[in-house]
Each structure stands twice: as structure tokens, then as C-alpha cells.
Amino acid sequence: MLIRLLGPVEVEREARIRQVRPPQVALALAALAWEVGRVVPVEALQERIWGQQVPDGARRTLYTIITQLRHDVLGDDGDVLRRLGGYLLDVDETAVDLVRFRGLAERAAAVPEPEAPLGEALGLWRGEPLMGLPGEWAERARRALRDEHKEVCLRWARAVTRADPGAAVAALSPLAEEYPLDEPVRAALIEALHEWGRTAEALTRFADVRALLAEELGVDPGPELHRVHQRMLHPDRGARAAEPVAPAQLPLDLGCFVGRAAELERLDGERAPVRVIHGPPGVGKSSLALHWAHLRRERYPDGQLHADLDASDAAAVLPRFLGSLGVPEGRVPASLDAQIGLFRSLLAGRRVLVVLDDARDAAQVRPLLAGAPGCLTLITTRSDLSGLSVTAGASLLRLDVLPDGDARGLLSARLGAARLAAEPEAAARIVRRCGHLPLALAIVAARLSRKTELSLADAAADLARPGLEPFAHADPAIDLPQVLGRSYHDLPEPAARLFRLLGRESGVHLPLAAVASLAGLPVDRARETVERLDHANLVELRAEGRVRLHDLLRVYAAEQGRATDDQEVRRAATHRLLDHYVHTALAASEACYPHRERLHPPPPVAGAVVQRFAGATQALRWFAAESLPLPALLAEATGAGLDRHAWQLAWAFTEFMQRRGPWAEILGVQAVALAAAERLDEGLAAARCHNAMARAHVKLGHDREAVAHYERALELHRRFTEPVLEAHVHLGLTVPLSRIGPGRELEHAVRAMELFRQGGDVVGEARALNNAGWWRAQRGEYEQALADCRRAQRLLADFGYPQGEGHAWDSVAYVLDAMGQHAEAVACYERAAELLRGCDDLYPAAETLVRLGETHALAGEAEAALDAWKRAAEWFDEFGDARAEEVRDRARALRNH
């Protein structure tokens, strides 16, 4: 199979070519193939398909598109895998024509006769790349690919000019039409015409391009055009004697540069005269800047200037730049202002690239900006230079750590693919310990290159040592603790203190209110301090208000915290943080589930910020964001001896998690909470944990384990005389008992009704009535079952409890279906699904749609059944439940019936 992007998006299989349609599916395939073997985040994939205005329901549509790619486009030759945060195209990389094209172009650079691989690379092109695909991303990609095609075509033409100048002219003529101001292309065409014996035409072409450059850019021809012109005028003289020497100061490019395709594309697509690459220490800003500069140096034929600003400033750099541009030492002005003026005058009419590495601040770089048309200044920095976007029209590119595939690729490029293939698990451990940070990976790779006898497993074991000692190096320029320290030691103390507090073992990326609690600051002051850290690229303040800290920076922050702050300071910060989480989670639970029992923990300590919620929607968003770091927060609580915080936090999240269905995760969370409750000898807390674990075991089909936990919860509740809590357990027991020892389900439901009535819980009593009706239906007592369930539905509606009402409508529908009243059952199922979905009870809502589909299917209504099952699968997908595929299998079976 060959996925073809260099023309219409097509798939070639067994000599048959099929165009991929419709455009959204073609865009998805192109976006995944563009980064084949790497995870493309869902947000990036959506942006590439729909642009900036992503429509409502895009995630569901995206899943449909991915399904179509899997089954209709790739078939048995590949797959699209779901990975954390995105999707990955799982095919051999050489199955993408773009990868083949780039591989051939790279191979040509390493051989003495590059004509054949360059010609083969050009032969892969079949017209306009991504032909016909709409949208901003497709257009950016086309521009970048056209530039790559131009560079390869230019290289090929130069390689064949001596042997076949006519072929070179044929290839270069359309390029000169498309890129009339591209001096390397025009120079190569003029030289090929001269070689072909058409010198008069070549001289005319030179005069035309000189006039065009003067008219459009106000510049004279650069060194390459000048050299070709002199060669035509003086064929018997060494043209190079008259050629001005252009500065070429770029340091060596990494021969093993890996990845950064999207960032290179961004740099290619930018038109800003100043481009700033910023990011945390060690992320590879300089490597990216130099690699791009080497790739595109032919765009700047009048020279490339470079300065390391960590070691010098404008007063030291400008005289050197002026000398490189031909100013004798004795003619360099004494004042900085005069030097700046001369530098800008010399750049006028030239095309020069200026690379300023490791800039400290905007003031340091302003005198060195190449502002003339045709020039570019490329800056790398650990700091915030966003002011340059206002004063100099700069574009800003934030660099993050490498994705997993590129991180492995970096190790592979330096150590050899065979060495990584021999120890894939050890390689994965190394990548994780390095946090995908290029500098850390490079340090480890250098050590392994020097000690070839050292296995990757040994290196991974050495890296398991705590702290940053494994990343130390004799060279301070690449000693990771020193590299990180340069940014930390520039901080004012309030920002440095917060940075140290963020160095916590859990590694959770905190929302701003949690950061404020950790620091004991008001939220506004916390934001200001975080923004200072963000400007230093030591943390990242995300748009949604979450503070992200790279793993190795977190380790460094923890080391500085242990060295600077005493244990009591750190423990007080942890207490404030966990108070924030417990009280905010309880507030969210109250907003989402007003009929749930309430906990009454002690008031939060001073400095802890408690969030309040305007309604259930806002609270659900908070739960969704904070449920991911919950296990780490519980570990932090128990590690700090704050067991009461641990079980209360787990309890506050229980209802949200039970409605979403990460059952195995629920068991892990509740096991930690149960251990904490037992250490405190708090029986009611332990009973709550047993109840939650039993509910999760039921969903996993672990019925005997569920019954054991329910029975332990019953025992504890009876000891404390808690009829309502005991009633909940009786309701829960009915499901697993029905599967391992049926016959007593109705008895438990009736007992639950009695206990709810005894405890004065009218909502609970109505829920138990609905449960009793369900079990009567299982016995075939349909009339009584329908009466019970309808009465429960009316009561729950009157009490304003939509979740319970949704379950009651589901029961009513089930009974009506069993009684042969299919049309009424369908309406009730739809109402049940609407109510359950509306109150975020997603798992039961999806189960209701499954039953709705079954009702339609039995009535011979295949299309309606397929629609219900499609919606059910999409809802299961939302929380990653495996039942989604089971439902799709049923739909496929019905469709093929």
C-alpha cells in the first residue's frame, strides 16, 4: 500500500489507485500521514480538518471519520490507533509518498552522484500536493511542500546542468515563473542556459531579474547571481576572484536532527521578518533554529550571521557583524547608536539571515534586528519576548518536548536503530525518565555512545536514581542542573518560592486556584506570579488556566525546595492544596448531585481557595478536568499523613466517576480511600468505600467481589444505625445477586424501601419502588411492575430528581416492551436517554440506547435500531468504554443480515 499526498490524496494498493473521498476523510488521512508514526492530538486533528471554527459535535464526527479510514481506506494494510490525547497512523513509514520523497532527498545529500535519488524523489510528484483539499492547514502544507519540491528540483537541476543542461532548463523554467524573486532558482536557470550555449538569452534573463529585484525589493542581485553573471562575461577568468565573500557563520547543523515537522512547517510558512522560538531550558530551541537555518540558507545568499547572546550583548556583537559585512575594523563607529545605523544601512538591499541564540530579553536583541526587506532575524530564548510581536512584528513559536516517536527517533539516530530494537522496553523507560526533553535524551545518548558495552537496560536503571544527578555533565553548557538553574536563579524570590512549591512528588498540573492555595496567595496574585514563571518558560500557563510543569523541571524545583524551605513550610502548602481540593470537590458534588448526602469536613485552613460553581455544567467541567490527577492527589495526601483528606476527596468524586465508568480506576481510588479510612478507624467512611468498590465490581462483572463488598458495607452501616446508607447497599445488592444467586432481588428492593422510609428519604424510597418494579418485571408480574415504575417516575419528577426519573422511564419502557407495546416503549426509552444524558449519567444513558436499539430491531425497524446503536457507541466512546465496539459489532451484524 502507498498513501499518496504529493498530488490528489489517494491510496495505491496492488497497482490500483483509489482517490480518498470525501474531503474531510482525505484531510484526516493527510493530517495523520503527515506525522506518520506519531500521535496527532485530537485538537490538532480537528483544526486540520475544520480550521479554527471547529463545529459542535466535532469529536463524534471525527470518530466516524476515523472508523471510515480504518475500514474503508486502510483495510488490512494499516490502522489508526487511539492513543492518549490523539490518534496515530499505524503503517510502515515508507508507505507514505511524502516520507519516501524526504528520505530520497536526504539520501542524495550523502552520495557523490545525487542525480538518481533526486530524480526518483521528483518522480513521486503527481501535480499539486493535497490537490483539492480545502482549509488553512492544507494550504499551509501545500506551501511548505511546494518549497520542498522547489529545493529538490533545484538540487537536481544543478547536479545535471553539466551533463544535460537542456533538461535542467526544462525543469527550472517553470520554477522561475512560479518564484520570480528566488535568486538561487534564477541563477541556476541562467547558468544552465549558458551551459546549453544560449548565453545571449541567459544575459537577458539576468538583466530581467536585476530589474525585477530593484523594482520589487529595492535590492541588487546577490552573490550567486553575481558569480554567474561574471562567469558569463569573463569565461576565461576565475569568476570567484570578483565574487564578494558572503558571511556564513552558522554553527554546525546536527547531523542527527529528528522530528519537529510541524515546527519546521510553521517556520517555513511564516512571513514575519522576526521569528522567535521560545520554550523551557533543554527543549531544543537552538537545534531547531540552526537546522531550519541550514535548510533555508539558500534563501539568504548575502550571508548568514550568528551570535550566542548568553555570552555577549549587542555592544560586543555589532562590531563583529559589521566586520563580517565588509567594514574594516578601523571604520567601525565608536558609539552603539552609530553601529546600529551602519548595520541597518549595510543590510538594505541584501538578503541576510541573522540568528540570535539564547537571547535574555527584548532590549538585548533590538539593536541586532535585521529589519531590511528580504532579511530575517531568527531568535531563540528562554524568556518572554512577546513585546517584539508588537514592536517588530515578530512571530512567536513555543517549543515543547518531543512526542514519543520523535524522542525514540532521537535515540535511534544517535545510537542506531538496531540497538533500540534490541531493547525496546529499556528505550521506553529512558524516554520516560528523560521526560521527552531533547537535552536530557542527548546527554544519555552521548553516555551510551561513549560506553558501547553499556546496555540500555543498565542505562535505564542508572537513570532511575532520584534527582537530576544522572543528567549532570562536565560541560556546563549541557549540564542539565546548571542549564535549568540559569533560568531559576534569574527569578525574583516570590516567583522562585512558588516554583519550589510546584516541585511536588505527584507531578499534577494544577489549575490556578489550586496553585493559589499551594502558595497561600489570592488568585490574582498567584496568576501574576505564575505569569512571571511562564515568561521564564519554567512553567506553562495553559489557556484553560492550568499550570503545567515539565517532569525534570519539577524534579529540579523539588531539589531547590528541599534545599531552601523547611519541611513544615512544604507540609503546610500540601495541607492548603488538599483543603482546596476537598472543599471544591464537595461544592462541585453539591452542584451536580443535590440529592446526594452531604459531608461536613472541618473548615479550610487559611490560604486555601475554595471554588464555587454557578451550576452543574460548570461543576461537571471541573470534575472532568480534575478526575485525571485524582490518583496522584490521593497518593500525595496519604504520603503526607492526611488520610481524612484522602477518603473525603475520593468520596466527593465517586458519583461523577460512577456515571462515567472508569471502573478499574474507581477500584484503585477507592482502595486508597479505604486504607486511609481504616487507618483512621472511621467505620462509616470505610462503608462508603466498600459501597463504591462494589458498584465498580458490578460494572466489571465481578459479582462475587461486589457482593462481598456490599455485605461488608451492610455490616458497618448496621453497627452505626444508618438506615438510609444501609438502604443504598440493599439496592446495589440486587444486580450481582441476580446473576449469582437469583431469587432474592425483590426482597432487597422492598427492604430498601422500608429503610428509606425509616430514614425519611422520600427520593430514595421512590428509587427503591422503581427498583422493585424492575424485579417484578423479571418475574413476569408486568401489571404490578408497570404500576410501580410509573408511580416512581411521577414521584421522582415531582421531587425534581432527573437522574432517578430517567431510570424510572427506562424501567417503564422495558416493561412496556415486554408487554408488546413497542411504540410506547420507544418513546419512553428516548425520554429516559434524554434525561440521563442531561444529568451526565452517561453509562446508563448509553445502556438505555442499546435497549432502544434492541426494541427497534425486534420490531423490524433496522434503520432506527442502527441509529440508536450508533448513538450508544458514540456515548460509550466518550468515556473510553470497550462496549462501544460490541455495539458496533451488533450494528454490523444487523446491517449484513
Side-chain angles (χ1 to χ4, degrees), residues 50 183 186 191 215 319 339 362 479 503 529 557 567-568 582 621 697 747 821 834:
W50 289 287
E183 292 191 49
R186 300 299 290 266
E191 190 162 31
E215 181 182 347
Q339 291 174 8
D479 177 83
T529 311
Q567 187 173 356
E568 195 51 45
V582 166
R621 280 200 298 267
H697 277 301
E747 175 188 331
Q821 300 177 38
E834 178 188 1

Side-chain angles (χ1 to χ4, degrees), residues 27 50 86 92 160 216 418 477 479 535 541 583 624 668 787 819 834 872:
L27 275 166
W50 289 287
D92 189 308
V160 303
E216 295 288 333
D479 177 83
H535 293 166
L541 179 56
H583 285 271
M819 297 172 73
E834 178 188 1

Side-chain angles (χ1 to χ4, degrees), residues 619-631:
L620 285 170
R621 280 200 298 267
W622 185 89
F623 269 135
E626 303 309 321
S627 61
L628 293 174
L630 178 61

Side-chain angles (χ1 to χ4, degrees), residues 364-537:
Q364 188 187 28
V365 300
R366 282 196 182 96
L368 302 171
L369 298 181
C375 294
L376 170 67
T377 307
L378 185 59
I379 302 169
T380 72
T381 181
R382 292 171 285 126
S383 304
D384 174 35
L385 302 190
S386 57
L388 291 178
S389 64
V390 178
T391 59
S395 66
L396 305 174
L397 172 61
R398 190 183 195 282
L399 207 57
D400 208 338
V401 296
L402 291 169
D404 195 64
D406 287 348
R408 289 170 178 264
L410 187 153
L411 291 177
S412 179
R414 292 174 182 241
L415 301 175
R419 199 168 174 187
L420 258 69
E423 298 183 80
E425 291 183 5
R429 291 202 304 275
I430 290 171
V431 168
R432 285 195 299 272
R433 177 66 171 97
C434 292
H436 298 75
L437 190 72
L439 177 57
L441 289 162
I443 291 169
V444 175
R447 189 175 302 144
L448 284 163
S449 297
R450 191 174 67 253
K451 298 181 177 181
T452 54
E453 76 285 357
L454 190 67
S455 71
L456 268 63
D458 289 338
D462 180 64
L463 289 175
R465 288 181 289 149
L468 295 179
E469 186 183 345
F471 303 103
H473 197 280
D475 183 350
I478 59 172
D479 177 83
L480 188 60
Q482 291 194 54
V483 169
L484 302 181
R486 287 203 293 272
S487 295
Y488 168 71
H489 291 301
D490 287 341
L491 295 172
E493 176 50 28
R497 173 181 175 271
L498 177 56
F499 179 69
R500 294 193 299 270
L501 290 175
L502 288 169
R504 296 158 32 261
E505 290 300 322
S506 66
V508 173
H509 303 317
L510 300 174
L512 202 56
V515 172
S517 300
L518 186 72
L521 295 172
V523 173
D524 288 346
R525 280 192 54 201
R527 178 184 291 277
E528 291 171 6
T529 311
V530 167
E531 286 174 349
R532 180 68 184 82
L533 293 173
D534 184 54
H535 293 166
N537 280 294

Side-chain angles (χ1 to χ4, degrees), residues 252-275:
L252 281 174
D253 186 17
L254 283 175
C256 50
F257 186 88
V258 170
R260 300 299 192 195
E263 290 84 357
L264 290 168
E265 177 193 340
R266 270 279 307 276
L267 289 171
D268 270 339
E270 291 286 359
R271 295 294 178 262
V274 178
R275 300 172 200 173

Side-chain angles (χ1 to χ4, degrees), residues 329-351:
E329 187 177 350
R331 292 186 56 196
V332 174
S335 76
L336 182 62
D337 285 345
Q339 291 174 8
I340 294 169
L342 180 57
F343 177 59
R344 291 173 179 168
S345 299
L346 288 170
L347 292 181
R350 302 194 191 198
R351 298 174 68 188

